[in-house]
Amino acid sequence: METRARLNPTLHQRHCWECMRRRIVCDFERPACSKCCAAGIACPGYDEKKPLKWLAPGKVSSRSRKRLIPPETNRSSTGSEEPVVSQETSPTSADNEIELLELFMITPTRELKSETCTIVESVWYYNSHVYPDYSAIHELAPNPYLGHFPLEALHQVPMSMCHTLVYLALAHRVYRVYPADNRRPLTTLRPRLYERRGLALRSLVELMGNLQNEMVIDATIGSILLFLFVDARQLPSSDWQHHFAAATELIKIRGGFASLSRSSEVLKPLILHLLLLGVMGNTTTPPSQHIPTTSQLELIDLMADLYGDGMYPILLCPPYLLMDIIRINNLRFEATASPLTDSTRATAQAVLEHIEAFSAEDWKGSNPDVQEDWLLLGRMYRSSIALYCISSLQSLSVFPSTNYFTAMRTVHGTRLYTILEQVILRPRIKVFAIWPLVVAGMQAVDASPTIRHIVDAQLSEMAGMLATPAPMLASAVFRRFWTSGQTGWDECFDRPYAFVS
């Protein structure tokens, strides 16, 4: 009877539970499949329920195969038969999401097929769930830096990059699904993040130990940069500075930032991303811990060339104002290395006047349907950068704490709170609000509890929208700062933070 069941294609055949777990095709041998026997695994069989085994407390230990309900079945019928309820729908929503993640990702196995499927699924996840969060940017203007990951090019990607893509996809899924206060699923799934992160780091070490030629060096630089961007996004810590230093040393071998960006079109956007991360990371880092490369005035010419019209997806700041951020970083960096002079104060005043002179109406695209979005972006960055200039330089006594500067901070703070409430509702531009929102959080030390509550709520919404814990870290920083009795920029950002995504 069992033999006939195997040979008759019209009869339903079930994969054994172990083959299902390993995602391979079962050969349906009874009582135990030969694939399990060949692998030295005790075949768990084909029963309706998965065999029980010891698991950590709180994990799903058994689930039935989903029973299909014929299309003609009336679920609302009041007949004598009880409705069929699949046990797969009975756990909590968190459990269901864990099961989804277990299907999508990833328990490392020894099988190449399984690892390959994991990487392909991660690329599919990026194209289907990460890219759409930013695709509305194309409505502002065509963006050359933003697009789908070409699956056909995956075979040319170093394994370190593949592991990093899996790390990105899994982390994005975890932080998109679960709120920050839902600790049980995060505790269950976070080890997988660190496991995949460890695989990416191990592959990077192997690449760095075999720098035979320029092609390998470029592949290593690209791998380090991709890992740095994902790590800074998903694991907020000062580690991003160490990755930055490693990439910088390899870039020096290839002639430096300017030379490599001219010679490699593939690495050019990654170099731009790296420099933007350094520039914006320095804004929320104590001056004594700045990355010197991104606080030097010599960077302005290179950034003006690389940044162009300011269409890079992680920022979309007017180029006019981005150069002022570099100038402010330079003033902060220099103020810790030498005594203040009248020349330093005059330079700071000139930078502030340059920011005040910016007109959002002069920075907008040609599409009349998105003019309001361009204006909001320009005004948002103008006020947030003015606040950064005043607050950060007051923290170093470059600017005095006078009524004049207090009034300027109040005016720009009020404008910024109003603009952010509008920006956060606009799909095309809301992804660019995280750094201005961080500036608003610092300025809220002088604001009412209502304003602080609004900023905190916007940060929480931003965390779910961007699927990154960075806004929640900012929220924790501000809650501590608001109750500390301190008011200075460097007292708020007392260690290296990178609030860009």
Side-chain angles (χ1 to χ4, degrees):
M1 178 67 70
E2 291 174 352
T3 302
R4 288 197 301 272
R6 290 199 309 272
L7 297 177
N8 188 346
T10 63
L11 297 179
H12 178 64
Q13 292 179 319
R14 292 171 176 162
H15 295 268
C16 81
W17 284 96
E18 178 63 19
C19 287
M20 288 179 62
R21 185 190 72 80
R22 296 165 62 196
R23 290 186 287 181
I24 62 176
V25 178
C26 184
D27 60 10
F28 311 108
E29 290 288 341
R30 304 292 180 120
C33 84
S34 59
K35 293 200 174 183
C36 287
C37 295
I41 299 172
C43 180
Y46 308 84
D47 292 340
E48 190 72 22
K49 285 183 177 293
K50 185 177 180 179
L52 296 175
K53 67 176 181 177
W54 291 108
L55 294 172
K59 292 193 71 174
V60 178
S61 59
S62 176
R63 62 175 73 94
S64 297
R65 302 176 191 271
K66 188 173 181 179
R67 295 181 60 185
L68 299 177
I69 301 175
E72 63 273 11
T73 302
N74 185 352
R75 296 188 182 209
S76 62
S77 172
T78 57
S80 59
E81 292 186 2
E82 293 184 359
V84 177
V85 179
S86 168
Q87 290 188 8
E88 288 191 357
T89 62
S90 59
T92 65
S93 60
D95 287 333
N96 284 335
E97 292 295 352
I98 291 175
E99 292 171 23
L100 176 59
L101 281 160
E102 286 173 343
L103 289 174
F104 166 62
M105 302 275 181
I106 320 162
T107 50
T109 70
R110 292 186 297 272
E111 295 182 52
L112 179 60
K113 177 182 177 183
S114 179
E115 183 67 13
T116 302
C117 288
T118 292
I119 294 168
V120 171
E121 286 173 353
S122 299
V123 173
W124 169 85
Y125 182 87
Y126 170 84
N127 289 337
S128 302
H129 297 282
V130 181
Y131 169 76
D133 291 344
Y134 299 86
S135 59
I137 299 172
H138 291 300
E139 298 174 22
L140 293 172
N143 196 300
Y145 299 108
L146 188 66
H148 285 98
F149 190 100
L151 191 59
E152 63 274 11
L154 191 56
H155 68 284
Q156 299 176 329
V157 176
M159 186 55 69
S160 55
M161 282 191 175
C162 292
H163 288 311
T164 302
L165 287 170
V166 179
Y167 174 30
L168 168 64
L170 178 56
H172 185 280
R173 183 63 180 165
V174 168
Y175 289 109
R176 172 59 56 84
V177 169
Y178 300 115
D181 58 351
N182 195 342
R183 298 298 181 189
R184 186 183 68 81
L186 288 177
T187 301
T188 303
L189 293 166
R190 190 172 281 120
R192 298 190 186 183
L193 290 178
Y194 290 111
E195 185 174 53
R196 189 55 60 168
R197 181 177 184 267
L199 289 172
L201 280 171
R202 187 184 307 166
S203 296
L204 281 175
V205 171
E206 292 173 357
L207 273 177
M208 294 183 71
N210 188 32
L211 301 177
Q212 299 175 340
N213 51 53
E214 289 185 353
M215 184 179 297
V216 176
I217 294 174
D218 288 356
T220 305
I221 291 172
S223 297
I224 293 175
L225 295 185
L226 181 61
F227 181 83
L228 163 60
F229 305 149
V230 176
D231 215 40
R233 169 190 172 87
Q234 303 298 357
L235 193 67
S237 72
S238 59
D239 286 350
W240 67 274
Q241 289 192 319
H242 303 305
H243 305 323
F244 195 108
T248 300
E249 289 303 311
L250 288 179
I251 290 172
K252 287 179 181 177
I253 296 175
R254 292 285 282 110
F257 287 99
S259 175
L260 184 57
S261 64
R262 287 193 297 267
S263 62
S264 175
E265 287 299 318
V266 174
L267 290 179
K268 186 174 180 177
L270 294 179
I271 291 173
L272 173 57
H273 194 138
L274 177 68
L275 293 175
L276 286 175
L277 178 62
V279 168
M280 303 311 293
N282 279 354
T283 65
T284 49
T285 294
S288 60
Q289 300 179 53
H290 274 198
I291 296 173
T293 304
T294 50
S295 283
Q296 301 294 331
L297 293 180
E298 290 80 2
L299 182 66
I300 289 179
D301 291 339
L302 176 59
M303 287 298 290
D305 178 54
L306 290 176
Y307 194 60
D309 295 330
M311 286 301 297
Y312 201 72
I314 67 166
L315 200 62
L316 208 60
C317 171
Y320 177 106
L321 294 174
L322 178 65
M323 305 312 151
D324 286 327
I325 294 179
I326 298 174
R327 295 185 180 99
I328 298 166
N329 286 352
N330 177 257
L331 284 168
R332 296 177 65 212
F333 184 71
E334 294 295 333
T336 63
S338 57
L340 292 177
T341 64
D342 291 341
S343 176
T344 302
R345 293 187 173 92
T347 301
Q349 183 64 41
V351 171
L352 181 58
E353 291 173 0
H354 190 259
I355 296 168
E356 290 288 310
F358 173 74
S359 172
E361 285 74 11
D362 296 335
W363 185 69
K364 55 188 179 182
S366 58
N367 184 353
D369 295 333
V370 296
Q371 293 300 307
E372 187 63 26
D373 285 347
W374 283 106
L375 289 172
L376 284 173
L377 278 172
R379 292 165 182 166
M380 177 180 71
Y381 278 110
R382 177 177 180 266
S383 286
S384 58
I385 294 170
L387 284 170
Y388 168 55
C389 181
I390 298 169
S391 298
S392 66
L393 295 180
Q394 279 184 328
S395 190
L396 295 168
S397 300
V398 177
F399 282 146
S401 298
T402 61
N403 291 337
Y404 170 76
F405 287 109
T406 300
M408 287 190 69
R409 283 183 57 177
T410 300
V411 169
H412 281 295
T414 302
R415 288 176 182 169
L416 184 57
Y417 302 140
T418 302
I419 293 169
L420 283 170
E421 289 182 345
Q422 301 174 60
V423 169
I424 207 76
L425 300 176
R426 293 176 175 262
R428 285 188 290 257
I429 59 175
K430 62 183 179 181
V431 294
F432 306 113
I434 183 168
W435 187 83
L437 192 53
V438 166
V439 176
M442 191 279 160
Q443 175 63 19
V445 70
D446 298 325
S448 66
T450 301
I451 293 296
R452 294 181 185 180
H453 176 75
I454 291 173
V455 170
D456 195 58
Q458 289 175 336
L459 284 168
S460 179
E461 182 179 350
M462 185 72 69
M465 180 177 66
L466 296 178
T468 169
M472 299 311 299
L473 173 62
S475 181
V477 169
F478 294 139
R479 290 177 186 178
R480 180 204 66 195
F481 177 61
W482 292 336
T483 59
S484 68
Q486 299 173 321
T487 59
W489 184 275
D490 292 330
E491 292 166 334
C492 178
F493 305 110
D494 56 353
R495 64 183 182 87
Y497 297 106
F499 295 117
V500 290
S501 177

